[in-house]
């Protein structure tokens, strides 16, 4: 059998399928890598998922995986192609955050989460595009390239993890690294017909992630199936002493428990009979304040059907309330810019990155930051600096942190009545470039995802149907969220819903394979 026939359609295979073939030595990691790199060369000039393609590094890692397999190791992600969001350090690679200020900066070390995926057998195919410093909901704020949605190249892939989402949707990777501050994994997943998973804050190390808002940022996977998301999470999660926000708490495997009854508590052991795929005994909350009737008849009908599908699987649907949810946007857009203002102060032309000379140090700072940062980053730095300034700190930042506590408390009360919450992952399908040119309309895209981020909860987006947009079917995502540290319950529920509905399989992107 020729290499081409062995790797035919490799770009559409799941991470689980690829790892199984490589572990069984039906395929080598090098064969998979060469096939994916060839596919990237064919399609990425149109999709624009990657800022940097890592041909040499990918083949080097593939060679190491093949040696480990030959030595008898079994690797959970053997030979699986991975897209690394370009705000995560990977030693020896250009790491830009989609910004001019870091355009030529080369990372001297590797982020913990990335290293764990590589240790599990993953192959880094490239560094993926993103909104500059992860600030945006469309990937239009990148200073270094344009990424397009593979389902319609005239629409955005979502953001800020748009490059990773586009890479996975177009078959240029099986797993994409994303970082989620206010919805930056879940929204692009919804736009690109993917599963996007944000774990509990602190479950995945942030060491090596270039910070936007430190109390909100969390790394997670973008994949084509819930099973692949669980595989990636199991590989990357866990305590890391290099990250002061990492939580030292035992982990429960999620991938091997997906087919157990989703209504089991997250602490229960998987049943010996793993065949059940219903949601009996599970209470799913619908948030009164997250009504979908204001999103238009077609979108409202789609989400109402998703809730009916959960009920048809045996879940009990209950109404819950999050009274402070309406303050989520205002709260987030004080806390996140304040932390961004502090974190981005380090980019001054002195230590690393771009430097623009000036007559004195102050002029050099000003010229460097003016040339290096884009409009959205400057806007958030200004908002954050104002909120932290003398005379305004208590009125804005401290008040926002108090509101954040109220949001978290509302979720605790809601989870007394339900096991999970279901709601939209995005208020619309993917939109065209420049369709939301004013900041406020773009910020509203995060309305349904921000409250979960403020509370640090695990949440994911799973495909839930299609909306006709100018004659093209465009995907939508259902967001599920559960209490802190209940990743296994969350992934099991999403897997059951996914396998029952098969929404993701009904259409395929029209990218020239």
């Amino acid at each position: 059998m020729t290499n081409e026939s062995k790797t035919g359609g490799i770009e559409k295979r799941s991470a689980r399928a690829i790892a199984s073939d490589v572990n069984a030595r039906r395929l080598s990691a090098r064969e998979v890598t060469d096939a994916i790199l060839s596919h990237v060369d064919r399609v990425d000039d149109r999709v624009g998922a990657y800022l940097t393609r890592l041909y040499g590094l990918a083949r080097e890692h593939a060679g190491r995986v093949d040696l480990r397999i030959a030595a008898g190791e079994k690797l959970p992600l053997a030979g699986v192609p991975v897209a690394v969001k370009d705000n995560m350090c990977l030693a020896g690679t250009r790491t830009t955050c989609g910004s001019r200020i870091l355009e030529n900066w080369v990372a001297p070390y590797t982020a913990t989460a990335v290293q764990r995926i590589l240790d599990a057998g993953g192959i880094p195919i490239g560094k993926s595009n993103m909104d500059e410093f992860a600030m945006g909901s469309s990937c239009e704020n990148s200073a270094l390239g344009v990424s397009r949605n593979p389902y319609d190249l005239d629409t955005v892939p979502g953001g800020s993890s748009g490059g990773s989402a586009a890479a996975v949707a177009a078959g240029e990777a099986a797993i994409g690294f994303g970082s989620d501050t206010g919805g930056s994994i879940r929204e692009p997943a919804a736009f690109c017909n993917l599963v996007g998973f944000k774990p509990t804050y602190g479950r995945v190390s942030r060491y090596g992630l270039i910070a936007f808002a430190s109390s909100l940022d969390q790394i997670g996977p973008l994949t084509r199936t819930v099973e692949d998301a669980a595989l990636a999470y199991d590989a990357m999660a866990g305590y890391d002493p290099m990250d002061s926000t990492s939580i030292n708490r035992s982990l429960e495997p999620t991938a091997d428990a997906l087919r157990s009854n989703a209504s089991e508590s997250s602490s229960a052991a998987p049943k010996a009979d793993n065949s059940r795929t219903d949601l009996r005994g599970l209470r799913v909350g619908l948030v009164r304040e997250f009504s979908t009737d204001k999103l238009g008849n077609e979108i409202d009908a789609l989400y109402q059907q998703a809730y009916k599908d959960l009920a048809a699987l045996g879940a009990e649907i209950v109404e819950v309330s999050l009274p402070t949810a309406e303050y989520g946007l205002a709260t987030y857009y004080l806390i996140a810019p304040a932390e961004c203002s502090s974190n981005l102060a380090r980019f001054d032309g002195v230590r690393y990155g771009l430097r623009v000379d000036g007559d004195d140090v102050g002029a050099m700072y000003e010229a460097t930051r003016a040339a290096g940062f884009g409009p959205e980053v400057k806007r958030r730095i200004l908002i954050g600096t104002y909120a932290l300034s003398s005379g305004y700190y208590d009125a804005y930042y401290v008040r926002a942190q108090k509101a954040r506590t109220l949001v978290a408390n509302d979720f605790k009360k809601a989870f007394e009545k339900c096991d999970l919450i279901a709601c939209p992952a995005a208020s619309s399908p993917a939109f065209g470039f420049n369709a939301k040119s004013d900041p406020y309309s773009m910020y509203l895209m995060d309305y349904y995802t921000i409250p979960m981020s403020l509370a640090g909860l695990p949440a994911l987006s799973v495909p839930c149907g299609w909306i006709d947009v100018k004659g093209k079917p465009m995907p939508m995502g259902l967001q599920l969220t559960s209490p802190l540290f209940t990743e296994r319950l969350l992934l099991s529920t999403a897997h059951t819903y996914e396998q029952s509905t098969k929404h993701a399989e009904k259409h395929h992107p029209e990218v020239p394979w």
Side-chain angles (χ1 to χ4, degrees):
M1 184 182 294
T2 65
N3 283 353
E4 187 173 347
S5 60
K6 288 168 64 179
T7 58
I10 195 74
E11 70 278 358
K12 297 179 182 179
R13 294 189 207 176
S14 68
R16 168 72 88 179
I18 291 171
S20 177
D21 281 346
V22 173
N23 277 312
R25 304 181 73 172
R26 290 185 291 268
L27 276 174
S28 69
R30 179 59 185 264
E31 288 169 335
V32 173
T33 300
D34 285 344
I36 290 296
L37 289 172
S38 294
H39 178 69
V40 170
D41 285 341
R42 286 194 300 273
V43 306
D44 199 53
D45 287 343
R46 294 189 65 190
V47 176
Y50 291 115
L51 293 175
T52 305
R53 302 176 194 177
L54 303 174
Y55 298 94
L57 188 63
R59 291 184 172 114
E60 178 184 327
H61 277 274
R64 292 176 187 169
V65 168
D66 286 334
L67 288 174
R68 293 173 67 186
I69 296 297
E73 287 191 62
K74 297 293 183 184
L75 305 175
L77 298 175
V80 173
V82 177
V84 181
K85 186 175 179 179
D86 210 26
N87 60 348
M88 300 178 199
C89 292
L90 178 56
T93 70
R94 192 173 70 126
T95 302
T96 71
C97 285
S99 178
R100 294 287 179 200
I101 209 160
L102 287 177
E103 185 173 5
N104 298 306
W105 185 71
V106 175
Y109 66 99
T110 297
T112 296
V114 176
Q115 188 61 57
R116 287 175 175 173
I117 291 288
L118 301 183
D119 290 344
I123 309 298
I125 300 299
K127 303 299 291 295
S128 56
N129 197 16
M130 57 181 286
D131 285 301
E132 185 178 8
F133 283 100
M135 298 178 197
S137 301
S138 65
C139 214
E140 292 175 280
N141 291 329
S142 172
L144 303 180
V146 176
S147 294
R148 301 179 182 276
N149 191 318
Y151 285 87
D152 181 349
L153 296 177
D154 292 326
T155 64
V156 301
S160 64
S161 306
S164 288
V168 177
E172 301 176 62
I175 295 172
F177 273 99
S179 63
D180 193 309
T181 307
S184 288
I185 290 173
R186 291 161 283 165
E187 189 232 45
F191 280 9
C192 293
N193 195 34
L194 302 174
V195 174
F197 176 39
K198 182 196 85 69
T200 300
Y201 179 79
R203 269 306 202 188
V204 177
S205 172
R206 294 188 306 109
Y207 178 72
L209 172 69
I210 297 173
F212 160 21
S214 301
S215 73
L216 294 161
D217 298 341
Q218 183 65 145
I219 294 172
L222 289 137
T223 60
R224 289 191 284 274
T225 69
V226 174
E227 183 177 35
D228 284 356
L231 281 169
Y233 168 73
D234 286 349
M236 70 171 69
Y239 176 66
D240 178 15
M242 299 297 290
D243 173 14
S244 63
T245 63
S246 180
I247 295 171
N248 192 359
R249 177 180 173 133
S250 62
L251 284 168
E252 295 167 327
T254 62
D256 292 339
L258 287 184
R259 292 182 61 83
S260 61
N261 185 5
S263 64
E264 292 180 62
S265 72
S266 62
S267 62
K271 291 184 177 181
D273 179 4
N274 258 17
S275 60
R276 292 182 61 184
T277 57
D278 62 81
L279 300 180
R280 283 178 289 171
L282 194 73
R283 299 168 301 164
V284 175
L286 303 184
V287 179
R288 185 183 306 132
E289 292 79 9
F290 284 171
S291 172
T292 57
D293 53 7
K294 59 190 174 184
L295 303 180
N297 291 338
E298 191 175 4
I299 295 176
D300 179 48
L302 181 144
Y303 282 118
Q304 294 306 318
Q305 184 59 53
Y307 304 150
K308 290 177 183 177
D309 290 340
L310 291 169
L313 287 165
E316 177 189 356
I317 304 299
V318 300
E319 184 180 79
V320 297
S321 179
L322 297 173
T324 54
E326 63 179 299
Y327 305 116
L329 273 170
T331 301
Y332 175 87
Y333 281 104
L334 282 170
I335 294 173
E339 294 184 9
C340 122
S341 170
S342 177
N343 279 322
L344 269 61
R346 71 194 69 177
F347 301 108
D348 54 15
V350 175
R351 285 157 286 197
Y352 35 68
L354 176 72
R355 170 182 284 195
V356 179
D357 290 333
D359 293 337
D360 53 34
V361 171
M364 185 269 289
Y365 285 169
E366 184 176 340
T368 296
R369 291 167 69 82
F373 291 140
E376 183 60 31
V377 172
K378 291 175 182 175
R379 182 181 296 114
R380 297 199 194 192
I381 289 174
L382 287 171
I383 293 170
T385 302
Y386 182 83
L388 293 174
S389 61
S390 177
Y392 297 99
Y393 178 85
D394 289 335
Y396 291 108
Y397 183 72
V398 171
R399 213 166 178 184
Q401 290 288 13
K402 290 178 180 178
R404 180 182 191 172
T405 300
L406 293 177
V407 171
N409 288 339
D410 278 352
F411 273 108
K412 288 180 182 177
K413 292 177 183 176
F415 285 129
E416 292 173 1
K417 297 181 179 180
C418 65
D419 302 297
L420 296 99
I421 287 172
C423 66
S427 56
S428 74
F431 47 84
F433 291 91
N434 300 313
K436 297 183 183 294
S437 54
D438 65 290
Y440 182 69
S441 63
M442 188 69 77
Y443 295 168
L444 284 173
M445 291 303 301
D446 299 331
Y447 177 77
Y448 294 106
T449 55
I450 277 175
M452 294 74 176
S453 294
L454 291 172
L457 298 171
L460 60 75
S461 174
V462 60
C464 69
W466 301 81
I467 296 291
D468 183 84
V469 181
K470 297 180 180 179
K472 286 188 176 181
M474 295 299 290
M476 296 286 288
L478 175 69
Q479 183 177 200
L480 298 172
T481 189
S482 60
L484 297 169
F485 310 113
T486 57
E487 279 80 3
R488 194 170 88 166
L489 173 66
L490 179 61
L491 288 162
S492 292
T493 304
H495 177 74
T496 299
Y497 173 81
E498 172 195 60
Q499 294 303 302
S500 170
T501 58
K502 304 286 186 182
H503 286 302
E505 300 176 12
K506 294 176 182 177
H507 299 281
H508 298 285
E510 297 177 2
V511 174
W513 306 124

